[in-house]
Amino acid sequence: QSVLAQPPSVSGAPGQTITISCTGGDSNIGAGYDVQWYQQLPGTAPKVLIYDNTNRPSGVPDRFSGSKSGASASLALTGLHAEDEADYYCQSFDYKLFAFVFGAGTKVTVL
Amino acid sequence: QVQLQESGPGLVRPAETLSLTCTVSGDSISSKSWSWVRQPPGKGLESIGFLHYSGDIRYNPSLKSRLTISVDTSKNQLSLQLTSVTAADTAVYYCTKLLGAGWDYRSDPWGQGILITVSS
């Protein structure tokens, strides 16, 4: 069982907006550690989509956005595109485990 | 541009030791932070352990008794050894560079990954 909880799947039609939640606890996100989001396309290595809760690396479209509140974080995809079909993972640091922790991942399907 | 390349045996027998190497190009491995992440087939990502730029090495508590992470600065390589492997260790293993500050690190970039199968 993952330390960070994510919904297993989220779907939406092209052009719609979807959000993926990531819920942690008082030893990770709730303790103030930042949340990173990764996108993993089929058969490829993950890549950073959002870092430090809200920042996008260069080259990531601005229709991807992140937010954090308390012990939870969210990734929003606005104007959904077919190429957004992928698995999305949140990640943070847990001071009790003294380890980086990932959510179980959310599969995004574009209808 | 930093590039990471994992290498290893592909197939490991149960109860044996898995040894992997990550060769870093385009950057010095010294004074930087690096990590290993694995992903069982069809499942999610699991952080295995990391090397902090301070020299501190930390392991996933569930693997700590079987795991060793080391660095060879002369070869610019990061290594992983996992002893007494079982089928549950079958996964794609990734090495990553860690960027960030404090303990707010992100893995960027990632190697392409190597599939390790544990089977007799």
Side-chain angles (χ1 to χ4, degrees):
Chain A
Q1 192 168 353
S2 299
V3 174
L4 305 180
Q6 294 181 237
S9 63
V10 174
S11 62
Q16 285 189 329
T17 296
I18 62 170
T19 60
I20 301 171
S21 61
C22 175
T23 303
D26 58 9
S27 61
N28 41 72
I29 301 175
Y33 294 104
D34 288 342
V35 177
Q36 335 295 337
W37 289 93
Y38 301 87
Q39 178 192 58
Q40 186 176 32
L41 296 169
T44 69
K47 76 164 192 176
V48 177
L49 209 55
I50 298 289
Y51 68 96
D52 294 351
N53 306 316
T54 61
N55 297 313
R56 280 187 310 276
S58 60
V60 174
D62 61 4
R63 53 197 187 77
F64 293 95
S65 62
S67 63
K68 175 188 167 184
S69 177
S72 296
S74 291
L75 173 70
L77 287 72
T78 58
L80 205 57
H81 290 189
E83 59 263 31
D84 296 334
E85 277 207 349
D87 294 322
Y88 294 82
Y89 295 89
C90 61
Q91 174 246 307
S92 187
F93 182 79
D94 190 289
Y95 75 83
K96 287 186 179 177
L97 297 172
F98 214 95
F100 297 106
V101 289
F102 287 94
T106 298
K107 182 175 184 61
V108 168
T109 301
V110 181
L111 302 172
Chain B
Q1 183 179 351
V2 183
Q3 291 188 317
L4 294 79
Q5 179 69 59
E6 303 89 349
S7 58
L11 177 66
V12 183
R13 306 293 185 196
E16 293 188 343
T17 296
L18 165 63
S19 296
L20 295 177
T21 297
C22 173
T23 300
V24 178
S25 58
D27 193 4
S28 170
I29 203 168
S30 299
S31 302
K32 308 281 186 357
S33 299
W34 309 88
S35 83
W36 287 99
V37 178
R38 71 180 182 179
Q39 183 173 34
K43 297 188 178 180
L45 303 169
E46 178 185 32
S47 179
I48 297 173
F50 65 92
L51 165 67
H52 191 253
Y53 69 86
S54 65
D56 192 13
I57 299 176
R58 297 287 180 151
Y59 302 115
N60 182 320
S62 67
L63 299 170
K64 186 175 182 179
S65 63
R66 300 192 291 128
L67 183 61
T68 301
I69 291 174
S70 60
V71 63
D72 186 335
T73 55
S74 67
K75 295 181 179 179
N76 225 39
Q77 290 178 335
L78 183 71
S79 295
L80 173 154
Q81 283 199 324
L82 185 64
T83 62
S84 304
V85 298
T86 70
D89 296 311
T90 294
V92 174
Y93 287 75
Y94 297 98
C95 63
T96 87
K97 183 179 180 181
L98 293 174
L99 298 178
W103 292 107
D104 293 317
Y105 283 102
R106 61 192 181 275
S107 282
D108 186 20
W110 297 59
Q112 67 182 29
I114 182 169
L115 174 62
I116 300 298
T117 302
V118 179
S119 175
S120 55

